[in-house]
């Protein structure tokens, strides 16, 4: 079921779109190629940083204590 706040948003969406006049966008149009390439590269770098961070956190979690004990009901510790 949709929360009440989202229902209100969905009901007001047609009203908001009716307020926009066509052609009112002053800076609209295709992006310059260098700007678009920069955005793609920045997105790739941020995505790579996220993947590396998740990998490092997940791999450090796999290395549990090396005390030789078997921990029952403690995932990742034996």
């Amino acid at each position: 079921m949709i929360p009440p706040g989202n229902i209100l948003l969905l009901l007001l969406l047609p009203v908001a779109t009716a307020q926009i006049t066509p052609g009112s966008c002053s800076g609209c149009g295709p992006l310059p190629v260098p700007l678009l390439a920069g955005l793609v590269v920045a997105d790739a770098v941020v995505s790579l940083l996220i993947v590396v961070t998740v990998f490092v956190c997940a791999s450090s979690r796999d290395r549990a204590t090396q005390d030789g004990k078997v921990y029952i009901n403690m995932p990742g510790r034996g």
Side-chain angles (χ1 to χ4, degrees):
M1 179 135 210
I2 300 174
N6 291 349
I7 291 175
L8 181 64
L9 179 67
L10 290 174
L11 291 175
L12 291 177
L13 191 60
V15 175
T17 55
Q19 299 293 328
I20 299 173
T21 58
S24 65
C25 184
S26 61
C28 297
L31 292 174
V33 175
L35 178 64
L36 186 61
L39 288 173
V40 169
V41 169
D43 182 45
V45 168
V46 170
S47 298
L48 185 63
L49 284 174
I50 292 171
V51 168
V52 167
T53 303
V54 169
F55 179 75
V56 167
C57 290
S59 66
S60 68
R61 195 177 166 124
D62 286 340
R63 278 186 258 128
T65 59
Q66 301 295 329
D67 57 4
K69 296 179 183 175
V70 175
Y71 292 90
I72 299 175
N73 294 332
M74 291 184 72
R77 296 215 94 206

